Amino acid sequence: MSPEHEPSEREHAAWERVRSAATGMNHHQAKVALDDARKAAADPSSPGRQTLDARAEADEWERITDTLADHAGSYDPATDPFVQGQLAALTHRAQAPAQRR
């Protein structure tokens, strides 16, 4: 994702689905899910919106698999630095208009 690209609500929803499904998975389990997601994203018979969702899901599975590659435990969004950074940014954006008043 380029810095000038703001993720859509659909991408955020796809990421949330993946994070929910990945919670509690180890690296091996996430890798299997990533392989399945890549197959779904490459399916030429999928309509455009489904393909975009499948790509967003595959991208998130890849990120989570990479996160778990050097982690012996299971996935938890509460300890995922990327997710926590997103939450902090959302909180900051929500507080910014109130601070301008």
Side-chain angles (χ1 to χ4, degrees):
M1 173 175 34
S2 67
E4 55 277 340
H5 172 76
E6 185 68 27
S8 69
E9 287 184 29
R10 289 183 70 92
E11 286 172 301
H12 280 286
W15 297 344
E16 287 300 319
R17 285 191 301 273
V18 170
R19 291 170 189 164
S20 177
T23 300
M25 285 186 174
N26 63 30
H27 181 260
H28 176 74
Q29 293 165 322
K31 182 77 171 148
V32 170
L34 170 60
D35 292 341
D36 291 344
R38 284 178 174 160
K39 289 175 191 168
D43 183 358
S45 66
S46 293
R49 283 210 178 273
Q50 286 180 342
T51 300
L52 292 175
D53 290 351
R55 285 185 193 143
E57 289 178 3
D59 289 345
E60 186 64 357
W61 277 115
E62 184 168 359
R63 190 192 66 74
I64 289 171
T65 301
D66 289 347
T67 298
L68 290 172
D70 61 352
H71 179 356
S74 58
Y75 179 75
D76 183 355
T79 60
D80 184 333
F82 181 79
V83 173
Q84 295 309 305
Q86 281 186 320
L87 293 174
L90 288 173
T91 300
H92 178 72
R93 284 185 197 148
Q95 291 173 349
Q99 291 174 352
R100 289 186 213 142
R101 294 180 194 170

PDB file of all heavy atoms in Angstrom, residues 3-5 10 12 15-16 23 26 31 35-36 39 41 49 52 57 68-69 72 76 78 93:
ATOM      1  N   PRO A   3       1.880   5.265   0.538  1.00  0.00           N
ATOM      2  CA  PRO A   3       1.555   6.186   1.632  1.00  0.00           C
ATOM      3  C   PRO A   3       0.368   7.088   1.312  1.00  0.00           C
ATOM      4  O   PRO A   3      -0.348   7.505   2.204  1.00  0.00           O
ATOM      5  CB  PRO A   3       2.829   7.018   1.818  1.00  0.00           C
ATOM      6  CG  PRO A   3       3.866   6.402   0.978  1.00  0.00           C
ATOM      7  CD  PRO A   3       3.236   5.414   0.067  1.00  0.00           C
ATOM      8  N   GLU A   4       0.150   7.367   0.024  1.00  0.00           N
ATOM      9  CA  GLU A   4      -0.969   8.242  -0.312  1.00  0.00           C
ATOM     10  C   GLU A   4      -2.302   7.505  -0.418  1.00  0.00           C
ATOM     11  O   GLU A   4      -3.328   8.118  -0.608  1.00  0.00           O
ATOM     12  CB  GLU A   4      -0.671   9.047  -1.579  1.00  0.00           C
ATOM     13  CG  GLU A   4      -0.290   8.268  -2.802  1.00  0.00           C
ATOM     14  CD  GLU A   4       1.187   7.877  -2.882  1.00  0.00           C
ATOM     15  OE1 GLU A   4       2.055   8.450  -2.228  1.00  0.00           O
ATOM     16  OE2 GLU A   4       1.457   6.926  -3.625  1.00  0.00           O
ATOM     17  N   HIS A   5      -2.288   6.203  -0.287  1.00  0.00           N
ATOM     18  CA  HIS A   5      -3.512   5.402  -0.357  1.00  0.00           C
ATOM     19  C   HIS A   5      -4.123   5.259   1.024  1.00  0.00           C
ATOM     20  O   HIS A   5      -3.504   4.714   1.933  1.00  0.00           O
ATOM     21  CB  HIS A   5      -3.203   4.013  -0.930  1.00  0.00           C
ATOM     22  CG  HIS A   5      -4.368   3.073  -0.866  1.00  0.00           C
ATOM     23  ND1 HIS A   5      -5.428   3.157  -1.718  1.00  0.00           N
ATOM     24  CD2 HIS A   5      -4.629   2.049  -0.033  1.00  0.00           C
ATOM     25  CE1 HIS A   5      -6.307   2.209  -1.408  1.00  0.00           C
ATOM     26  NE2 HIS A   5      -5.835   1.524  -0.384  1.00  0.00           N
ATOM     27  N   ARG A  10     -13.995  -1.172   2.983  1.00  0.00           N
ATOM     28  CA  ARG A  10     -13.995  -2.584   2.581  1.00  0.00           C
ATOM     29  C   ARG A  10     -12.675  -3.257   2.954  1.00  0.00           C
ATOM     30  O   ARG A  10     -12.661  -4.394   3.407  1.00  0.00           O
ATOM     31  CB  ARG A  10     -14.254  -2.727   1.083  1.00  0.00           C
ATOM     32  CG  ARG A  10     -15.677  -2.392   0.683  1.00  0.00           C
ATOM     33  CD  ARG A  10     -15.859  -2.624  -0.805  1.00  0.00           C
ATOM     34  NE  ARG A  10     -15.834  -4.036  -1.116  1.00  0.00           N
ATOM     35  CZ  ARG A  10     -16.907  -4.814  -1.182  1.00  0.00           C
ATOM     36  NH1 ARG A  10     -18.099  -4.313  -0.955  1.00  0.00           N
ATOM     37  NH2 ARG A  10     -16.793  -6.088  -1.484  1.00  0.00           N
ATOM     38  N   HIS A  12     -10.617  -2.276   5.377  1.00  0.00           N
ATOM     39  CA  HIS A  12     -10.622  -2.398   6.839  1.00  0.00           C
ATOM     40  C   HIS A  12     -11.479  -3.588   7.275  1.00  0.00           C
ATOM     41  O   HIS A  12     -11.084  -4.346   8.173  1.00  0.00           O
ATOM     42  CB  HIS A  12     -11.140  -1.121   7.496  1.00  0.00           C
ATOM     43  CG  HIS A  12     -10.119  -0.035   7.577  1.00  0.00           C
ATOM     44  ND1 HIS A  12      -9.074  -0.061   8.470  1.00  0.00           N
ATOM     45  CD2 HIS A  12      -9.980   1.103   6.860  1.00  0.00           C
ATOM     46  CE1 HIS A  12      -8.335   1.022   8.312  1.00  0.00           C
ATOM     47  NE2 HIS A  12      -8.857   1.748   7.341  1.00  0.00           N
ATOM     48  N   TRP A  15      -9.598  -6.788   6.573  1.00  0.00           N
ATOM     49  CA  TRP A  15      -8.538  -6.978   7.571  1.00  0.00           C
ATOM     50  C   TRP A  15      -9.117  -7.476   8.884  1.00  0.00           C
ATOM     51  O   TRP A  15      -8.544  -8.358   9.526  1.00  0.00           O
ATOM     52  CB  TRP A  15      -7.779  -5.683   7.809  1.00  0.00           C
ATOM     53  CG  TRP A  15      -7.044  -5.149   6.613  1.00  0.00           C
ATOM     54  CD1 TRP A  15      -6.731  -5.819   5.448  1.00  0.00           C
ATOM     55  CD2 TRP A  15      -6.530  -3.836   6.459  1.00  0.00           C
ATOM     56  NE1 TRP A  15      -6.060  -4.991   4.587  1.00  0.00           N
ATOM     57  CE2 TRP A  15      -5.915  -3.757   5.184  1.00  0.00           C
ATOM     58  CE3 TRP A  15      -6.534  -2.706   7.263  1.00  0.00           C
ATOM     59  CZ2 TRP A  15      -5.307  -2.600   4.722  1.00  0.00           C
ATOM     60  CZ3 TRP A  15      -5.919  -1.554   6.785  1.00  0.00           C
ATOM     61  CH2 TRP A  15      -5.311  -1.505   5.538  1.00  0.00           C
ATOM     62  N   GLU A  16     -10.243  -6.915   9.282  1.00  0.00           N
ATOM     63  CA  GLU A  16     -10.871  -7.337  10.542  1.00  0.00           C
ATOM     64  C   GLU A  16     -11.312  -8.794  10.479  1.00  0.00           C
ATOM     65  O   GLU A  16     -11.161  -9.530  11.455  1.00  0.00           O
ATOM     66  CB  GLU A  16     -12.060  -6.434  10.887  1.00  0.00           C
ATOM     67  CG  GLU A  16     -11.659  -5.054  11.356  1.00  0.00           C
ATOM     68  CD  GLU A  16     -10.797  -5.084  12.607  1.00  0.00           C
ATOM     69  OE1 GLU A  16     -11.076  -5.882  13.520  1.00  0.00           O
ATOM     70  OE2 GLU A  16      -9.827  -4.305  12.666  1.00  0.00           O
ATOM     71  N   THR A  23      -6.869 -14.972  15.062  1.00  0.00           N
ATOM     72  CA  THR A  23      -6.656 -14.938  16.506  1.00  0.00           C
ATOM     73  C   THR A  23      -6.527 -16.354  17.060  1.00  0.00           C
ATOM     74  O   THR A  23      -7.382 -17.198  16.840  1.00  0.00           O
ATOM     75  CB  THR A  23      -7.797 -14.174  17.204  1.00  0.00           C
ATOM     76  OG1 THR A  23      -7.812 -12.838  16.701  1.00  0.00           O
ATOM     77  CG2 THR A  23      -7.620 -14.156  18.713  1.00  0.00           C
ATOM     78  N   ASN A  26      -1.223 -20.284  15.131  1.00  0.00           N
ATOM     79  CA  ASN A  26       0.236 -20.227  15.117  1.00  0.00           C
ATOM     80  C   ASN A  26       0.696 -19.955  13.680  1.00  0.00           C
ATOM     81  O   ASN A  26      -0.127 -19.838  12.767  1.00  0.00           O
ATOM     82  CB  ASN A  26       0.844 -21.518  15.686  1.00  0.00           C
ATOM     83  CG  ASN A  26       0.503 -22.745  14.862  1.00  0.00           C
ATOM     84  OD1 ASN A  26       0.317 -22.694  13.647  1.00  0.00           O
ATOM     85  ND2 ASN A  26       0.417 -23.883  15.533  1.00  0.00           N
ATOM     86  N   LYS A  31      -0.046 -19.738   7.803  1.00  0.00           N
ATOM     87  CA  LYS A  31       0.535 -19.984   6.482  1.00  0.00           C
ATOM     88  C   LYS A  31      -0.435 -20.751   5.596  1.00  0.00           C
ATOM     89  O   LYS A  31      -0.582 -20.447   4.406  1.00  0.00           O
ATOM     90  CB  LYS A  31       1.855 -20.745   6.647  1.00  0.00           C
ATOM     91  CG  LYS A  31       2.575 -21.014   5.375  1.00  0.00           C
ATOM     92  CD  LYS A  31       3.269 -19.784   4.886  1.00  0.00           C
ATOM     93  CE  LYS A  31       4.168 -20.165   3.720  1.00  0.00           C
ATOM     94  NZ  LYS A  31       4.280 -19.108   2.754  1.00  0.00           N
ATOM     95  N   ASP A  35      -2.094 -19.360   2.090  1.00  0.00           N
ATOM     96  CA  ASP A  35      -2.122 -20.081   0.815  1.00  0.00           C
ATOM     97  C   ASP A  35      -3.534 -20.136   0.248  1.00  0.00           C
ATOM     98  O   ASP A  35      -3.743 -19.912  -0.953  1.00  0.00           O
ATOM     99  CB  ASP A  35      -1.560 -21.494   0.982  1.00  0.00           C
ATOM    100  CG  ASP A  35      -0.069 -21.500   1.276  1.00  0.00           C
ATOM    101  OD1 ASP A  35       0.610 -20.490   1.008  1.00  0.00           O
ATOM    102  OD2 ASP A  35       0.408 -22.536   1.797  1.00  0.00           O
ATOM    103  N   ASP A  36      -4.516 -20.406   1.104  1.00  0.00           N
ATOM    104  CA  ASP A  36      -5.913 -20.436   0.666  1.00  0.00           C
ATOM    105  C   ASP A  36      -6.365 -19.055   0.185  1.00  0.00           C
ATOM    106  O   ASP A  36      -7.068 -18.933  -0.820  1.00  0.00           O
ATOM    107  CB  ASP A  36      -6.831 -20.904   1.802  1.00  0.00           C
ATOM    108  CG  ASP A  36      -6.637 -22.373   2.151  1.00  0.00           C
ATOM    109  OD1 ASP A  36      -6.037 -23.117   1.340  1.00  0.00           O
ATOM    110  OD2 ASP A  36      -7.082 -22.780   3.244  1.00  0.00           O
ATOM    111  N   LYS A  39      -5.006 -18.259  -3.249  1.00  0.00           N
ATOM    112  CA  LYS A  39      -5.772 -18.964  -4.292  1.00  0.00           C
ATOM    113  C   LYS A  39      -7.076 -18.230  -4.579  1.00  0.00           C
ATOM    114  O   LYS A  39      -7.460 -18.068  -5.732  1.00  0.00           O
ATOM    115  CB  LYS A  39      -6.050 -20.405  -3.867  1.00  0.00           C
ATOM    116  CG  LYS A  39      -4.828 -21.290  -3.882  1.00  0.00           C
ATOM    117  CD  LYS A  39      -5.142 -22.674  -3.332  1.00  0.00           C
ATOM    118  CE  LYS A  39      -3.868 -23.460  -3.097  1.00  0.00           C
ATOM    119  NZ  LYS A  39      -4.108 -24.673  -2.320  1.00  0.00           N
ATOM    120  N   ALA A  41      -7.704 -15.055  -4.126  1.00  0.00           N
ATOM    121  CA  ALA A  41      -7.413 -13.773  -4.775  1.00  0.00           C
ATOM    122  C   ALA A  41      -7.051 -13.947  -6.250  1.00  0.00           C
ATOM    123  O   ALA A  41      -7.276 -13.042  -7.052  1.00  0.00           O
ATOM    124  CB  ALA A  41      -6.282 -13.065  -4.040  1.00  0.00           C
ATOM    125  N   ARG A  49     -15.392  -6.829  -7.091  1.00  0.00           N
ATOM    126  CA  ARG A  49     -15.392  -6.479  -5.664  1.00  0.00           C
ATOM    127  C   ARG A  49     -14.908  -7.639  -4.814  1.00  0.00           C
ATOM    128  O   ARG A  49     -14.185  -7.439  -3.854  1.00  0.00           O
ATOM    129  CB  ARG A  49     -16.782  -6.045  -5.213  1.00  0.00           C
ATOM    130  CG  ARG A  49     -17.136  -4.652  -5.632  1.00  0.00           C
ATOM    131  CD  ARG A  49     -18.086  -4.071  -4.594  1.00  0.00           C
ATOM    132  NE  ARG A  49     -18.455  -2.714  -4.874  1.00  0.00           N
ATOM    133  CZ  ARG A  49     -17.763  -1.650  -4.491  1.00  0.00           C
ATOM    134  NH1 ARG A  49     -16.644  -1.801  -3.850  1.00  0.00           N
ATOM    135  NH2 ARG A  49     -18.169  -0.439  -4.768  1.00  0.00           N
ATOM    136  N   LEU A  52     -11.158  -7.757  -5.055  1.00  0.00           N
ATOM    137  CA  LEU A  52     -10.523  -6.739  -4.227  1.00  0.00           C
ATOM    138  C   LEU A  52     -10.524  -7.149  -2.759  1.00  0.00           C
ATOM    139  O   LEU A  52      -9.522  -6.982  -2.059  1.00  0.00           O
ATOM    140  CB  LEU A  52     -11.221  -5.392  -4.403  1.00  0.00           C
ATOM    141  CG  LEU A  52     -11.067  -4.738  -5.768  1.00  0.00           C
ATOM    142  CD1 LEU A  52     -11.916  -3.472  -5.856  1.00  0.00           C
ATOM    143  CD2 LEU A  52      -9.615  -4.433  -6.072  1.00  0.00           C
ATOM    144  N   GLU A  57      -7.631  -9.446   1.905  1.00  0.00           N
ATOM    145  CA  GLU A  57      -7.511 -10.528   2.879  1.00  0.00           C
ATOM    146  C   GLU A  57      -6.165 -11.241   2.727  1.00  0.00           C
ATOM    147  O   GLU A  57      -5.491 -11.527   3.721  1.00  0.00           O
ATOM    148  CB  GLU A  57      -8.671 -11.510   2.737  1.00  0.00           C
ATOM    149  CG  GLU A  57      -9.987 -10.924   3.207  1.00  0.00           C
ATOM    150  CD  GLU A  57     -11.167 -11.858   3.029  1.00  0.00           C
ATOM    151  OE1 GLU A  57     -10.978 -13.014   2.585  1.00  0.00           O
ATOM    152  OE2 GLU A  57     -12.292 -11.420   3.332  1.00  0.00           O
ATOM    153  N   LEU A  68       4.168 -13.575  12.566  1.00  0.00           N
ATOM    154  CA  LEU A  68       4.314 -14.803  13.348  1.00  0.00           C
ATOM    155  C   LEU A  68       5.593 -15.576  13.023  1.00  0.00           C
ATOM    156  O   LEU A  68       5.956 -16.493  13.764  1.00  0.00           O
ATOM    157  CB  LEU A  68       3.105 -15.717  13.130  1.00  0.00           C
ATOM    158  CG  LEU A  68       1.792 -15.242  13.732  1.00  0.00           C
ATOM    159  CD1 LEU A  68       0.646 -16.153  13.272  1.00  0.00           C
ATOM    160  CD2 LEU A  68       1.869 -15.203  15.248  1.00  0.00           C
ATOM    161  N   ALA A  69       6.277 -15.205  11.949  1.00  0.00           N
ATOM    162  CA  ALA A  69       7.459 -15.962  11.519  1.00  0.00           C
ATOM    163  C   ALA A  69       8.540 -16.012  12.589  1.00  0.00           C
ATOM    164  O   ALA A  69       9.230 -17.021  12.724  1.00  0.00           O
ATOM    165  CB  ALA A  69       8.023 -15.377  10.238  1.00  0.00           C
ATOM    166  N   ALA A  72       7.007 -17.386  18.536  1.00  0.00           N
ATOM    167  CA  ALA A  72       6.674 -18.783  18.838  1.00  0.00           C
ATOM    168  C   ALA A  72       5.231 -18.962  19.280  1.00  0.00           C
ATOM    169  O   ALA A  72       4.737 -20.070  19.317  1.00  0.00           O
ATOM    170  CB  ALA A  72       7.603 -19.312  19.914  1.00  0.00           C
ATOM    171  N   ASP A  76      -2.450 -12.565  18.163  1.00  0.00           N
ATOM    172  CA  ASP A  76      -3.388 -11.816  18.991  1.00  0.00           C
ATOM    173  C   ASP A  76      -3.337 -10.356  18.535  1.00  0.00           C
ATOM    174  O   ASP A  76      -2.280  -9.723  18.639  1.00  0.00           O
ATOM    175  CB  ASP A  76      -3.006 -11.919  20.465  1.00  0.00           C
ATOM    176  CG  ASP A  76      -3.989 -11.220  21.390  1.00  0.00           C
ATOM    177  OD1 ASP A  76      -4.937 -10.562  20.905  1.00  0.00           O
ATOM    178  OD2 ASP A  76      -3.811 -11.338  22.612  1.00  0.00           O
ATOM    179  N   ALA A  78      -4.268  -7.811  19.938  1.00  0.00           N
ATOM    180  CA  ALA A  78      -3.923  -6.930  21.057  1.00  0.00           C
ATOM    181  C   ALA A  78      -2.416  -6.762  21.218  1.00  0.00           C
ATOM    182  O   ALA A  78      -1.970  -5.789  21.823  1.00  0.00           O
ATOM    183  CB  ALA A  78      -4.530  -7.453  22.353  1.00  0.00           C
ATOM    184  N   ARG A  93      -6.868  10.776  15.342  1.00  0.00           N
ATOM    185  CA  ARG A  93      -7.729  11.481  14.395  1.00  0.00           C
ATOM    186  C   ARG A  93      -9.035  11.895  15.032  1.00  0.00           C
ATOM    187  O   ARG A  93      -9.549  12.973  14.763  1.00  0.00           O
ATOM    188  CB  ARG A  93      -8.015  10.605  13.185  1.00  0.00           C
ATOM    189  CG  ARG A  93      -6.874  10.500  12.230  1.00  0.00           C
ATOM    190  CD  ARG A  93      -7.270   9.718  11.005  1.00  0.00           C
ATOM    191  NE  ARG A  93      -6.083   9.284  10.312  1.00  0.00           N
ATOM    192  CZ  ARG A  93      -5.992   8.179   9.626  1.00  0.00           C
ATOM    193  NH1 ARG A  93      -7.013   7.370   9.515  1.00  0.00           N
ATOM    194  NH2 ARG A  93      -4.871   7.860   9.036  1.00  0.00           N
TER     195      ARG A  93
END
